[in-house]
Amino acid sequence: KSLGKYRYAKASYPVSTMCNTATGAIACGGLEGYISLIDSRTGGQTVAVPVRAHGGKVVDMDVYDTTLVTCGEATPRYSRSHGLHRNSGRAKSDPALKIFDLRMLRHGIPFQCTPPASFARFLDQGRLLVSGRMGNIQTIQNIQAGPNAQLEQV
């Protein structure tokens, strides 16, 4: 997604994915599993302390209204002190979609996906489309409800 007229923003960790929010902030997901919000209107200053979303890198994220959803890896393959782990092989996907309220950057109830998701996009009216590494596609209605959300295999 385009970041508008701002070409870069500062994050305190290596970034793997980012997306715009409705408030003008940029949500960043990192190689170490952290997410943070950066205010593009103030020259790229972080507006919240980075929050741990996954054990490994944040693979994808999307925003709808005040809800941020991330999917990521459960095991780390990268650390600032050691770089890429040579013997890590293929990373294990985190089976939980992590849900955050952007107003306070607070964790919601994680949503378990089987098989784990590696792609997440909000569709109309907060319906979420998720896909895994093997090509499975699911839609989730009312993701904020956590375990009570309605799941449909496509």
Side-chain angles (χ1 to χ4, degrees):
K1 293 182 179 179
S2 170
L3 297 178
K5 64 182 179 178
Y6 300 97
R7 302 264 177 204
Y8 76 97
K10 298 176 195 173
S12 59
Y13 52 86
V15 173
S16 60
T17 186
M18 61 179 71
C19 65
N20 288 328
T21 67
T23 62
I26 301 167
C28 297
L31 293 174
E32 296 178 342
Y34 289 95
I35 60 168
S36 64
L37 295 176
I38 297 174
D39 190 352
S40 59
R41 299 169 295 183
T42 62
Q45 299 299 314
T46 302
V47 295
V49 175
V51 175
R52 182 75 155 197
H54 301 277
K57 84 173 181 177
V58 178
V59 176
D60 199 20
M61 60 173 40
D62 202 19
V63 174
Y64 176 75
D65 196 24
T66 60
T67 303
L68 170 72
V69 173
T70 68
C71 48
E73 296 173 348
T75 55
R77 292 195 308 167
Y78 176 88
S79 71
R80 268 185 271 186
S81 57
H82 297 99
L84 285 173
H85 297 288
R86 291 190 180 136
N87 61 353
S88 62
R90 187 174 179 117
K92 182 180 175 188
S93 295
D94 191 341
L97 287 173
K98 301 298 175 85
I99 304 163
F100 296 89
D101 182 344
L102 289 177
R103 293 170 288 192
M104 296 174 280
L105 200 58
R106 182 180 295 174
H107 278 280
I109 300 170
F111 186 85
Q112 299 294 320
C113 282
T114 306
S118 60
F119 174 84
R121 284 295 172 271
F122 278 105
L123 303 173
D124 57 343
Q125 301 172 355
R127 195 171 53 158
L128 185 68
L129 175 77
V130 295
S131 175
R133 288 183 176 169
M134 301 303 291
N136 56 304
I137 298 173
Q138 304 170 4
T139 59
I140 304 168
Q141 183 69 38
N142 194 17
I143 190 74
Q144 296 88 348
N148 297 327
Q150 301 167 0
L151 177 69
E152 178 185 339
Q153 300 285 339
V154 179

